[in-house]
Amino acid sequence: MSGGFSSLHPAVCFAYYVGVLLLGMLLLHPLFLLTAITILIVLQFYHDGGERLRKQLPLYMLMGGSIALLNPLFSHRGRVILFYFLDQPITLESVLYGVTMMLSLLLILLAFLSFYQVITTDKFMYLFSSVAPKTALLTSVAIRFVPLLKRRLKQISLVQRTNGIDVKVGSLRKRMRDGMTLLRVLITWSLEEALQTADSMKARGYNTGRRSHYVVYRMERRDWTVLLFLAGASAVSIAGWMRGYGTLQIYPTLAAIHFAWGDGIVFTSFCAFLLLPIYFEREERLRWKSSV
Amino acid sequence: MEIIRVERLSFHYPDQERAAVADVSFSVAEGEFVVLCGASGCGKTTLLRQLKREVAPVGERKGSIWWKGVPLAELPPREAAEQIGMVFQNPENQIVTDTVWHELAFSMENLGYPLAVMRKRLAELAHDFGLEQMLYKSVHELSGGQKQWLNLASVLLLQPKLLLLDEPTSQLDPVASREFIQLLRRVNQEFGMTIIISEHRLEELLPLADRVILLADGSIKYDGAPRAIGERIGRESPADRSYLPAVTRLYMALQAQVEAGQVDALPLTVREGKRWLSSVWRAEGEEIVQPVQEREQPRQEIVKCLEVTYQYGKGQPHVLRSLSMHVYRNEFLAIVGGNGAGKTTLLQVMAGLSAPQRGKVIVEPSLKIGYLAQNPLLYFSCDTVREELEQMAKHASLPEPKVEIERLLRVFELEELLCKNPYDLSGGQQQKVALAMVLLSKPDVLLIDEPTKGLDPSAKMRLAELLQELRAAGTTIVMVTHDVEFAARHVTRCAMLFDGSILAEGDSHSFFSENYYYTTAINRTVREWVPDALTEEDVMRRWVASSRFF
């Protein structure tokens, strides 16, 4: 993905997901959580037409569902007893709390699902390279090796099969020995090649002095504006939360569901925060639609 | 102005009696394009590495190297890294990071350039090299040629004064290598960058070079302008003629046989060759010699590929599409084709190493197939060449392993290397060892993948002799290759693989002489007069036979 929300600076996108997680954990109110989940699901459809979500959904439902189910079985706090299950009182409060927890978990999972699609590996690397540049370089080198070693091992096992070295045939002992041989060839070969890589690094002046750091991304005016907006919206939500708005008191007794004006303000800023990527994705679509 | 000067340089690797570089002196002027050539193991790489301080091998060194009048050793490390750039042989291994932009930036980051400078240089160069499209790609998505471009680009971003290249095109296919050499020409011509390049394949390089240095056994044999060197080689050492372009060889061979018209300048390219020929050819278009048809022999199919279809995975493109092909007993078949046409896959399918999704490969049951992959390192798992060969002999359960090993060592000239670790050998030597290993199991059908890659001309000649010997002994050989000259000279039949299937096949003479682009330099030079001649020997034969033309 290149357009829309992911065209923003990675730090801004990162701030958004941090905010979603933070608010999702603070504002434990079924209405808030449901709204957030709906928005993130819509965002998924903007990302890839809901392809990944469809794949992950069973797992998510299982994880969320089990929390909603298990909480009332183990927790018996609360005043309103709905019924008895195996002589255990099942309370309205614990059922509701379980559902809230389930929604919170789903929100976190959905946020991560979207996170992985927007903050790709290289963006993630970039974000952390300013904190730990050496580690970032090392990671970049290591990332190159993963497909490389895989491909080499495949080649080696193909060729060594013609010499009778094959981990797929023979006794267990022979297979293990052959596996070791293949691994030895892979390691010797890779070390040899790594020496050449080291030469190439030295030849290009590695370790001659302080390294600088090339950065692909630039904070543009738009990024600052968005960051400011996110900071504002989350500040209002958190301020409201500190005054007790935006949460539903469940334990020890369920508070009356009462939507005060304070809740309204928190809800508005919360929604504004969450809808940000949707805004960018929609803008992107509309721009192309109208130009055709 | 002189940029680098080498004075009486000698170099011994530790524990080696023979000097790798022996008493070498030369100096290179700014902006010169110098080609360093010589047989593999003659000290080209060692000499180049002496000029690049950071990668100079450990050993005993005598003599001195001067960088613009200052001893090279006294140059500050930063400057040394910046001003002398080096590109190595293997495109894959020089890459350090995982994305193209990071790889490009890597060398600049090392030298601590400010961000604004890095951005500007990278933008300039990406534009100039046409790298914009792949800037954000992973390095694994690039082809070998693109990887070598990337390596060169990353070095050029430091704006070096001297560029050293150690056989940079030996691992590339002809198209990519031609592009790379043209790029070097541009760098030399447009930026005046001094270039020292070591290479076996001089066909394309020689016309661009200002100067050629021929190394033999660690010392300089010839040093001078390409044409002067060509003439001296022609006069003094016919054995080194194989380094010269085919057209030049043809000219020399003809000069020796008949008076074939003197020219002022030795022809180095097809264009110059044609000009020379058209000036000496008397009767134009008259009585073109008809190709001699070789007698059709009854042929027995021993390997049959029937509608073989292969893909690497679900949803992946088809590498082979309904490919049908036969291999006949005791032939020498070359399969040619571009990069990614599926040549390697075809060999692996024929060797039974990969199973096709559709179609089948039928091999005559009594026959043994030997497969030599492109990368010899895949074969080595022991500490010395001797152990390697002995283990292979054991696996093949030969009756007389010692005799067989001795014979192969002699043929491959590996006796000296017997106690060395396979990893310490040069690329050409490693390939010889791997081929010897495959041959130990005495295959009836030998499948070889790019055997001439990275070999010097004399090694190629010996390889060809050996393959011919094997054929004479009854082995059938199927070779996948990019090397048109080698195929034209030695094989009996040729097949062209394009887009996953065999598009054309035929005996090598008619196959190549019917091609316009995909044929030898000699054929391109003389096709107007002798359309079916592929090698200088062909031309010679015709010329002498029909000397009445002159």
Side-chain angles (χ1 to χ4, degrees):
Chain A
M1 280 181 305
S2 49
F5 181 54
S6 38
S7 69
L8 288 167
H9 193 275
V12 177
C13 298
F14 191 72
Y16 173 77
Y17 290 106
V18 171
V20 170
L21 291 182
L22 189 69
L23 295 179
M25 285 189 277
L26 293 180
L27 304 173
L28 290 175
H29 190 299
L31 176 68
F32 281 69
L33 292 173
L34 265 176
T35 316
I37 286 172
T38 317
I39 292 173
L40 284 183
I41 288 177
V42 172
L43 184 60
Q44 273 303 320
F45 276 89
Y46 274 115
H47 284 332
D48 63 351
E51 192 57 45
R52 278 170 213 237
L53 180 65
R54 215 166 297 142
K55 259 188 220 154
Q56 300 288 334
L57 202 61
L59 180 71
Y60 288 0
M61 293 315 283
L62 187 75
M63 286 166 75
S66 53
I67 283 191
L69 215 68
L70 289 176
N71 191 60
L73 290 180
F74 288 99
S75 163
H76 307 298
R77 294 172 70 191
R79 212 174 48 169
V80 187
I81 294 169
L82 295 176
F83 57 91
Y84 284 87
F85 179 72
L86 300 174
D87 292 338
Q88 302 286 333
I90 303 293
T91 64
L92 175 66
E93 282 85 353
S94 63
V95 169
L96 221 72
Y97 191 76
V99 170
T100 315
M101 281 294 116
M102 173 183 85
L103 293 177
S104 176
L105 180 74
L106 282 179
L107 179 61
I108 292 170
L109 290 172
L110 282 169
F112 269 109
L113 190 67
S114 167
F115 177 87
Y116 284 128
Q117 289 171 78
V118 172
I119 312 260
T120 48
T121 325
D122 57 317
K123 284 188 190 172
F124 190 78
M125 291 282 309
Y126 158 70
L127 283 171
F128 287 90
S129 61
S130 37
V131 186
K134 279 230 164 107
T135 320
L137 178 65
L138 198 71
T139 320
S140 173
V141 173
I143 287 177
R144 185 181 80 95
F145 267 105
V146 177
L148 202 64
L149 291 184
K150 254 167 129 177
R151 201 169 60 214
R152 282 182 186 159
L153 189 62
K154 211 167 150 193
Q155 284 179 20
I156 292 172
S157 31
L158 196 81
V159 161
Q160 291 287 343
R161 207 185 303 162
T162 61
N163 301 359
I165 292 173
D166 193 341
V167 285
K168 287 190 189 125
V169 291
S171 64
L172 188 66
R173 222 181 121 79
K174 180 198 160 280
R175 286 187 198 200
M176 277 166 72
R177 204 179 49 229
D178 287 357
M180 287 310 288
T181 310
L182 293 185
L183 222 55
R184 193 173 63 218
V185 177
L186 176 69
I187 289 170
T188 333
W189 182 22
S190 298
L191 281 178
E192 180 70 19
E193 314 262 294
L195 282 181
Q196 294 178 23
T197 311
D199 271 348
S200 154
M201 288 173 79
K202 276 189 281 176
R204 288 194 274 157
Y206 186 71
N207 224 358
T208 51
R210 235 185 110 73
R211 295 188 88 237
S212 59
H213 186 63
Y214 188 84
V215 182
V216 182
Y217 305 99
R218 257 187 287 198
M219 281 295 271
E220 290 165 22
R221 256 206 350 245
R222 183 181 70 155
D223 297 312
W224 287 113
T225 318
V226 172
L227 200 61
L228 215 68
F229 171 80
L230 287 178
S234 54
V236 171
S237 308
I238 289 172
W241 170 78
M242 284 163 81
R243 283 160 192 266
Y245 297 114
T247 51
L248 182 65
Q249 189 201 326
I250 296 173
Y251 291 141
T253 51
L254 185 64
I257 298 182
H258 166 72
F259 207 74
W261 62 271
D263 290 311
I265 291 177
V266 173
F267 187 72
T268 315
S269 61
F270 181 64
C271 286
F273 185 97
L274 284 166
L275 281 169
L276 185 95
I278 306 275
Y279 165 75
F280 278 103
E281 297 292 343
R282 268 201 69 74
E283 199 192 35
E284 175 88 1
R285 304 283 138 111
L286 284 177
R287 184 178 306 137
W288 294 112
K289 212 170 256 171
S290 57
S291 72
V292 168
Chain B
M1 210 194 96
E2 170 188 278
I3 192 161
I4 198 160
R5 188 169 82 242
V6 176
E7 273 177 12
R8 311 210 58 180
L9 185 76
S10 295
F11 182 81
H12 280 263
Y13 280 103
D15 308 324
Q16 293 276 314
E17 264 178 41
R18 207 166 58 89
V21 174
D23 200 18
V24 165
S25 303
F26 65 94
S27 94
V28 175
E30 237 174 305
E32 254 189 310
F33 193 124
V34 181
V35 176
L36 212 57
C37 66
S40 58
C42 72
K44 295 190 300 284
T45 301
T46 314
L47 181 57
L48 270 186
R49 280 179 173 249
Q50 297 294 335
L51 305 182
K52 176 75 183 162
R53 215 171 61 187
E54 293 84 352
V55 295
V58 180
E60 189 194 332
R61 198 173 71 174
K62 289 197 205 100
S64 52
I65 303 171
W66 301 78
W67 171 258
K68 294 184 171 178
V70 185
L72 184 66
E74 283 171 26
L75 208 64
R78 210 185 122 89
E79 256 176 68
E82 208 171 17
Q83 304 211 337
I84 306 178
M86 185 155 185
V87 177
F88 302 85
Q89 196 169 355
N90 190 316
E92 176 87 61
N93 297 337
Q94 295 170 63
I95 295 178
V96 178
T97 62
D98 61 330
T99 51
V100 172
W101 69 263
H102 199 179
E103 187 60 27
L104 286 171
F106 177 75
S107 43
M108 294 192 288
E109 287 180 337
N110 286 336
L111 293 170
Y113 290 167
L115 186 59
V117 174
M118 291 200 277
R119 279 231 167 92
K120 183 164 168 289
R121 283 198 188 180
L122 201 146
E124 261 189 283
L125 189 110
H127 175 71
D128 206 41
F129 271 48
L131 293 174
E132 287 128 318
Q133 295 302 318
M134 45 190 213
L135 213 49
Y136 292 98
K137 274 192 182 171
S138 152
V139 291
H140 297 291
E141 292 171 43
L142 307 184
S143 69
Q146 287 174 323
K147 280 180 187 154
Q148 201 63 308
W149 274 54
L150 176 60
N151 291 321
L152 179 63
S154 177
V155 169
L156 288 181
L157 279 167
L158 299 181
Q159 302 178 348
K161 299 270 183 296
L162 172 65
L163 190 58
L164 306 171
L165 301 112
D166 184 13
E167 297 185 25
T169 63
S170 69
Q171 304 298 313
L172 307 184
D173 63 275
V175 178
S177 103
R178 231 175 353 244
E179 276 175 2
F180 190 82
I181 286 172
Q182 286 310 315
L183 196 66
L184 286 182
R185 195 186 84 94
R186 258 192 64 203
V187 168
N188 177 250
Q189 297 276 328
E190 292 177 17
F191 307 101
M193 201 174 287
T194 317
I195 291 179
I196 305 181
I197 176 171
S198 78
E199 194 55 84
H200 299 310
R201 282 196 287 197
L202 298 185
E203 196 86 38
E204 278 126 23
L205 217 44
L206 214 56
L208 307 180
D210 295 315
R211 200 167 134 201
V212 178
I213 297 178
L214 180 70
L215 286 178
D217 291 327
S219 39
I220 295 182
K221 196 168 178 187
Y222 295 114
D223 178 357
R227 279 180 224 277
I229 292 280
E231 274 158 18
R232 279 190 68 185
I233 288 177
R235 269 200 315 274
E236 295 166 16
S237 69
D240 290 327
R241 274 192 195 168
S242 50
Y243 292 110
L244 301 174
V247 177
T248 317
R249 289 201 306 266
L250 174 67
Y251 174 77
M252 286 173 175
L254 285 176
Q255 286 295 345
Q257 291 268 332
V258 284
E259 253 337 282
Q262 283 287 345
V263 280
D264 311 331
L266 199 63
L268 296 178
T269 58
V270 169
R271 192 176 67 141
E272 290 166 2
K274 280 189 132 168
R275 199 177 295 158
W276 153 62
L277 277 174
S278 55
S279 74
V280 296
W281 210 279
R282 249 189 278 145
E284 46 187 276
E286 182 193 325
E287 203 177 330
I288 285 171
V289 187
Q290 284 303 310
V292 188
Q293 284 293 327
E294 278 186 33
R295 205 153 34 82
E296 278 283 312
Q297 278 164 359
R299 299 190 293 185
Q300 184 192 358
E301 294 161 2
I302 51 170
V303 180
K304 280 186 265 190
C305 299
L306 301 173
E307 296 185 355
V308 171
T309 299
Y310 190 86
Q311 58 193 129
Y312 276 101
K314 192 181 150 200
Q316 302 258 8
H318 283 88
V319 187
L320 304 175
R321 300 165 202 265
S322 289
L323 179 143
S324 297
M325 193 185 75
H326 304 294
V327 178
Y328 301 104
R329 187 179 288 282
N330 203 17
E331 72 170 344
F332 188 171
L333 170 69
I335 300 170
V336 297
N339 246 5
K343 301 194 300 294
T344 298
T345 315
L346 175 59
L347 271 200
Q348 288 173 352
V349 168
M350 279 166 75
L353 294 172
S354 316
Q357 275 80 40
R358 201 162 64 74
K360 49 187 157 182
V361 178
I362 304 167
V363 183
E364 207 157 275
S366 60
L367 297 181
K368 206 165 174 187
I369 289 189
Y371 169 68
L372 179 65
Q374 213 178 99
N375 191 338
L377 294 181
L378 297 171
Y379 289 86
F380 304 144
S381 56
C382 303
D383 290 334
T384 63
V385 173
R386 181 195 296 277
E387 278 176 53
E388 215 68 77
L389 289 168
E390 279 169 358
Q391 196 197 324
M392 195 66 201
K394 211 172 91 192
H395 173 70
S397 51
L398 293 178
E400 283 177 282
K402 281 262 149 45
V403 180
E404 193 56 33
I405 289 175
E406 285 301 313
R407 193 184 70 83
L408 282 170
L409 288 176
R410 225 177 19 256
V411 178
F412 282 88
E413 300 174 4
L414 292 172
E415 289 106 326
E416 278 180 49
L417 313 173
L418 206 52
C419 295
K420 279 196 179 179
N421 189 306
Y423 277 88
D424 289 338
L425 309 179
S426 73
Q429 291 166 335
Q430 284 173 342
Q431 189 169 33
K432 281 193 225 168
V433 175
L435 180 57
M437 285 171 68
V438 173
L439 288 180
L440 272 177
S441 63
K442 301 221 162 187
D444 304 294
V445 182
L446 183 61
L447 308 174
I448 352 174
D449 197 350
E450 296 277 2
T452 58
K453 203 174 194 177
L455 291 190
D456 64 61
S458 55
K460 264 190 214 178
M461 287 297 289
R462 280 197 298 279
L463 176 75
E465 280 165 21
L466 186 93
L467 292 179
Q468 294 297 1
E469 233 173 81
L470 286 172
R471 240 194 94 213
T475 314
T476 308
I477 302 171
V478 180
M479 169 179 77
V480 149
T481 191
H482 277 306
D483 194 333
V484 175
E485 311 280 336
F486 188 82
R489 191 177 287 267
H490 303 291
V491 306
T492 55
R493 203 162 64 92
C494 243
M496 188 174 214
L497 188 58
F498 178 77
D499 201 21
S501 41
I502 298 285
L503 280 195
E505 55 184 314
D507 69 279
S508 66
H509 260 261
S510 56
F511 178 85
F512 283 114
S513 51
E514 278 163 16
N515 290 351
Y516 187 78
Y517 295 103
Y518 210 82
T519 180
T520 63
I522 293 288
N523 184 256
R524 277 178 278 141
T525 312
V526 304
R527 69 184 326 151
E528 284 162 40
W529 301 285
V530 204
D532 68 325
L534 298 180
T535 62
E536 62 250 43
E537 286 82 4
D538 292 343
V539 183
M540 292 288 293
R541 223 177 297 133
R542 292 300 151 66
W543 199 296
V544 176
S546 56
S547 55
R548 60 199 170 86
F549 280 132
F550 298 92

